């Protein structure tokens, strides 16, 4: 557990403070009746809710990641948190894949969901290089009709595989303080699409699977005999 503000507050209060968590505690924690209370606590104390450690392309900065665009810097030896990694780009990401990946040259590839200035929604893929780990360089954007949940993605040397499953996240549920599982809404009358995004130029091809399923984690991905092949856990 990180040496964090969240841990300090939890220890002081002998309780779990408000804020976004993936699954509600058992027994359920106290939940404020005031809208935005969880948003406040999340912005002030969300520095321990991280599931994946990662070494940035500069070879020295360790961060923790979860399903948000924020990345928390920490000391790998002491687990002391060092504050959020600050972005210097103009991406308007609101959620992001926890499991980023590396190209052979060390560049980091990530995916986030983005809402544009006119309300248009996208799944955006980006690249971070060792020259500036604070800059997310856009590879490509795939338009979507709603705000979609993306936890992971597949990647070969040439393509990023994004699974557009019909799972949306209710912003209102999050504002009211509910956990992430409660805020996820499944549309089982819709079908899952797979977008193959070219790392070289950002162009993409969409494959309509014709069935409903949700992808959680990705394994190996590669191109063989002109076909993109990937291992994925789905249900």
């Amino acid at each position: 557990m990180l040496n964090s503000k969240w841990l300090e507050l939890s220890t002081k209060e002998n309780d779990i403070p408000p804020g976004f968590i993936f699954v509600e505690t058992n027994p359920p924690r106290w939940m404020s009746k005031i809208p935005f209370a969880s948003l406040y606590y999340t912005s002030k104390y969300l520095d321990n809710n991280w599931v994946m450690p990662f070494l940035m392309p500069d070879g020295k900065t360790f961060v923790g990641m979860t399903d948000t665009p924020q990345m928390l810097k920490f000391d790998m030896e002491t687990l002391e948190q060092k504050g959020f990694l600050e972005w210097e780009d103009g991406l308007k990401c609101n959620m992001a894949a926890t499991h980023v990946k590396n190209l052979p040259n060390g560049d980091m590839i990530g995916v986030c969901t983005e809402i544009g200035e006119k309300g248009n929604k996208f799944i955006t893929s980006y690249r971070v290089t060792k020259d500036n780990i604070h800059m997310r360089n856009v590879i490509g954007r795939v338009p979507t009709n709603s705000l979609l949940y993306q936890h992971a993605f597949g990647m070969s040397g040439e393509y990023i595989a994004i699974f557009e499953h019909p799972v949306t996240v209710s912003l209102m549920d999050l504002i009211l303080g509910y956990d992430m599982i409660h805020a996820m809404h499944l549309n089982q009358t819709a079908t899952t699409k797979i977008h193959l995004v070219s790392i070289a130029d950002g162009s993409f091809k969409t494959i309509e699977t014709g069935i409903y399923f949700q992808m959680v984690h990705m394994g190996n991905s590669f191109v063989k005999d002109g076909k993109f092949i990937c291992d994925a856990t789905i249900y």
Side-chain angles (χ1 to χ4, degrees):
M1 183 172 289
L2 293 176
N3 180 15
S4 62
K5 296 178 183 178
W6 184 91
L7 177 59
E8 180 182 339
L9 181 65
S10 298
T11 303
K12 178 181 177 181
E13 301 294 335
N14 194 29
D15 199 358
I16 300 175
F20 296 157
I21 56 176
F22 195 75
V23 180
E24 190 53 74
T25 59
N26 185 17
R29 60 189 175 147
W30 173 83
M31 184 167 63
S32 173
K33 301 297 184 182
I34 303 175
F36 293 100
S38 285
L39 287 175
Y40 169 77
Y41 275 89
T42 294
S43 65
K44 192 174 180 62
Y45 296 110
L46 182 59
D47 55 3
N48 204 96
N49 190 20
W50 310 92
V51 300
M52 178 177 170
F54 185 79
L55 179 61
M56 295 297 288
D58 63 355
K60 60 183 180 181
T61 304
F62 285 93
V63 296
M65 299 181 180
T66 187
D67 295 324
T68 76
Q70 296 160 316
M71 298 181 186
L72 183 74
K73 297 181 293 182
F74 69 95
D75 187 302
M76 180 60 80
E77 299 297 328
T78 65
L79 296 185
E80 180 183 359
Q81 61 96 354
K82 300 293 186 179
F84 291 123
L85 184 73
E86 295 183 1
W87 297 116
E88 298 175 349
D89 53 65
L91 268 65
K92 302 183 184 301
C93 300
N94 42 65
M95 291 188 295
T98 295
H99 300 286
V100 298
K101 298 183 181 294
N102 285 114
L103 288 172
N105 67 354
D107 289 355
M108 185 193 92
I109 303 297
V111 168
C112 72
T113 55
E114 193 177 13
I115 300 179
E117 294 180 355
K118 297 182 179 180
N120 297 328
K121 301 174 182 64
F122 305 93
I123 303 175
T124 302
S125 53
Y126 62 85
R127 178 198 303 253
V128 176
T129 69
K130 64 180 181 181
D131 298 328
N132 186 356
I133 63 170
H134 303 277
M135 179 69 68
R136 295 167 295 186
N137 302 288
V138 174
I139 294 174
R141 288 184 170 96
V142 177
T144 61
N145 294 323
S146 56
L147 186 61
L148 300 172
Y149 177 66
Q150 290 289 310
H151 182 70
F153 58 93
M155 189 180 78
S156 69
E158 301 85 8
Y159 298 100
I160 300 166
I162 299 173
F163 285 60
E164 183 184 340
H165 39 236
V167 180
T168 59
V169 177
S170 168
L171 180 60
M172 182 56 66
D173 285 347
L174 297 179
I175 289 174
L176 294 176
Y178 291 106
D179 60 272
M180 195 69 171
I181 289 293
H182 183 101
M184 289 183 185
H185 294 214
L186 310 183
N187 180 4
Q188 296 187 5
T189 62
T191 58
T192 297
K193 301 177 179 64
I194 303 174
H195 306 289
L196 289 181
V197 181
S198 168
I199 296 175
D201 59 17
S203 60
F204 65 91
K205 176 182 180 181
T206 300
I207 301 166
E208 171 58 70
T209 67
I211 59 175
Y212 169 88
F213 64 87
Q214 182 177 353
M215 182 276 294
V216 182
H217 290 112
M218 298 291 298
N220 296 322
S221 301
F222 55 92
V223 176
K224 182 178 180 180
D225 299 329
K227 297 180 179 179
F228 184 90
I229 302 172
C230 63
D231 299 323
T233 55
I234 65 173
Y235 66 90

